[in-house]
């Protein structure tokens, strides 16, 4: 693992790191904030998954999480959203919602994406092992959160590994990818047209199929330009109510899809995670 840069912030260390990934067959970069802590202490870990077009840098520069993480004693890890580099396939038309920057947190099975687009295994297996080996992380106390496409990833990964993540939250998540344009495009091209294969990467389907968590927290801006067509939080609310899955859905008047929205409620969500991480 290579240290690209480190910065002192709120008594802790904000770092950017790079390593050669065996899953994506590319170099991958990620960000980690480690708060001030006593020597030998092991700290709970919050995973933050970013949205379409983003890298680790978006939340690192705009997310305003470091003060809260320093006060709460939380490590925050922010992976990239897709493999990158020479030879990695991208959308032929350069679309923002597929290919580079849009891995959708799945392991692709279709050519040419299958060789590199293995973000599910990268986020759930390879990168956690690296974090456990190089940072003062208590891997028995993990939680996960994300924004937009990353909110989709946080929900599906959290629902798939309830024994691992004690808390799951999201900002403006894509809750029903099988039903909205962003998701249908990504799942169809990464996983093929057999919609049965999509269910493990759709939060609504996972809950319908029996996945449960102690609690879910979702913040959604009412002025979000993608609310009606791509996000559809009311579908998650309906499915959770029917299944008896606890959900706190907070509709936030006046807020859009940007990091102005995310940063406003970041500290509040991190405090919610900290309560559940102990």
């Amino acid at each position: 693992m290579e240290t690209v840069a480190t910065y002192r912030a709120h008594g802790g260390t904000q770092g950017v790191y790079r390593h050669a990934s065996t899953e994506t067959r590319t170099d991958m970069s990620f960000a980690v904030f480690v708060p001030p802590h006593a020597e030998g202490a092991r700290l709970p870990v919050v995973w933050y998954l970013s949205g379409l077009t983003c890298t680790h840098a978006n939340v690192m520069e705009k997310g305003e999480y470091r003060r809260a993480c320093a006060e709460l004693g939380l490590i925050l890890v922010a992976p990239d959203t897709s493999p990158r580099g020479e030879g990695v396939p991208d959308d032929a038309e350069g679309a923002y919602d597929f290919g580079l920057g849009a891995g959708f947190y799945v392991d692709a099975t279709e050519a040419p994406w299958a060789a590199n687009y293995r973000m599910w295994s990268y986020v759930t297996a390879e990168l956690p092992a690296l974090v456990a080996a190089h940072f003062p992380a208590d891997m028995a106390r993990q939680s996960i959160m994300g924004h937009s496409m990353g909110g989709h990833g946080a929900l599906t990964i959290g629902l798939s590994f309830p024994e691992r993540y004690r808390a799951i939250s999201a900002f403006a998540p894509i809750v029903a990818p099988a039903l909205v344009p962003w998701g249908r495009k990504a799942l169809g091209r990464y996983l093929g047209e057999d919609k049965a294969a999509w269910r493990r990467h759709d939060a609504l389907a996972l809950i319908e199929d029996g996945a449960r968590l102690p609690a879910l927290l979702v913040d959604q801006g009412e002025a979000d330009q993608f609310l009606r067509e791509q996000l559809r939080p009311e579908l998650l609310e309906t499915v959770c109510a029917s299944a008896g899955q606890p959900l706190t859905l907070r509709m936030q008047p006046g807020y859009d899809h940007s990091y102005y929205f995310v940063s406003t409620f970041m500290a509040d969500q991190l405090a919610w995670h900290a309560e559940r991480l102990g």
Side-chain angles (χ1 to χ4, degrees):
M1 188 182 75
E2 172 191 357
T3 300
V4 177
T6 58
Y7 310 92
R8 193 72 170 163
H10 297 284
T13 301
Q14 175 67 67
V16 178
Y17 307 91
R18 181 187 299 121
H19 72 112
S21 168
T22 58
E23 288 291 348
T24 68
R25 304 180 188 178
T26 66
D27 285 349
M28 294 292 290
S29 297
F30 62 99
V32 180
F33 177 72
V34 178
H37 60 282
E39 184 176 355
R42 311 300 287 184
L43 306 175
V45 180
V46 178
W47 295 84
Y48 179 91
L49 305 185
S50 295
L52 291 167
T53 75
C54 292
T55 70
H56 65 278
N58 295 77
V59 68
M60 190 177 80
E61 296 169 359
K62 303 175 184 177
E64 300 182 18
Y65 58 83
R66 278 173 287 270
R67 179 183 295 277
C69 284
E71 293 174 352
L72 297 166
L74 301 173
I75 292 174
L76 189 137
V77 182
D80 203 345
T81 55
S82 79
R84 301 177 192 272
E86 186 176 353
V88 176
D90 193 10
D91 185 85
E93 299 177 356
Y96 76 93
D97 57 356
F98 188 79
L100 297 182
F104 262 80
Y105 304 100
V106 304
D107 285 348
T109 58
E110 301 298 298
W113 320 105
N116 304 109
Y117 284 77
R118 295 186 52 80
M119 293 305 295
W120 178 272
S121 292
Y122 178 73
V123 168
T124 65
E126 184 177 9
L127 189 54
L130 200 66
V131 168
H134 291 278
F135 298 93
D138 181 356
M139 302 306 279
R141 292 187 292 162
Q142 298 183 69
S143 68
I144 191 165
M145 66 194 306
H147 172 226
S148 192
M149 178 187 72
H152 144 75
L155 292 175
T156 56
I157 290 171
L159 286 162
S160 298
F161 298 95
E163 72 287 350
R164 180 186 303 183
Y165 302 103
R166 296 191 187 181
I168 294 87
S169 72
F171 302 98
I174 304 169
V175 304
L179 302 178
V180 301
W182 278 343
R184 289 197 299 267
K185 178 178 181 178
L187 298 182
R189 294 179 70 180
Y190 287 137
L191 303 178
E193 291 305 320
D194 180 6
K195 292 183 173 56
W198 300 7
R199 294 189 69 81
R200 68 186 295 252
H201 295 292
D202 186 299
L204 297 192
L206 286 166
I207 294 170
E208 289 173 348
D209 292 344
R212 295 291 183 272
L213 296 165
L216 293 175
L217 172 63
V218 172
D219 280 305
Q220 173 63 62
E222 289 186 355
D224 192 317
Q225 62 269 42
F226 303 113
L227 177 61
R228 303 303 172 198
E229 184 180 21
Q230 305 283 12
L231 306 177
R232 307 292 303 279
E234 74 281 0
L235 298 178
L236 180 65
E237 189 172 39
T238 298
V239 167
C240 285
S242 177
Q245 167 61 55
L247 167 68
T248 300
L249 173 60
R250 305 189 300 197
M251 300 300 297
Q252 305 293 0
Y255 285 92
D256 62 9
H257 199 69
S258 72
Y259 267 91
Y260 295 109
F261 159 63
V262 173
S263 63
T264 298
F265 300 99
M266 176 67 82
D268 191 51
Q269 285 208 11
L270 287 170
W272 183 86
H273 281 263
E275 289 178 6
R276 288 151 181 82
L277 289 167

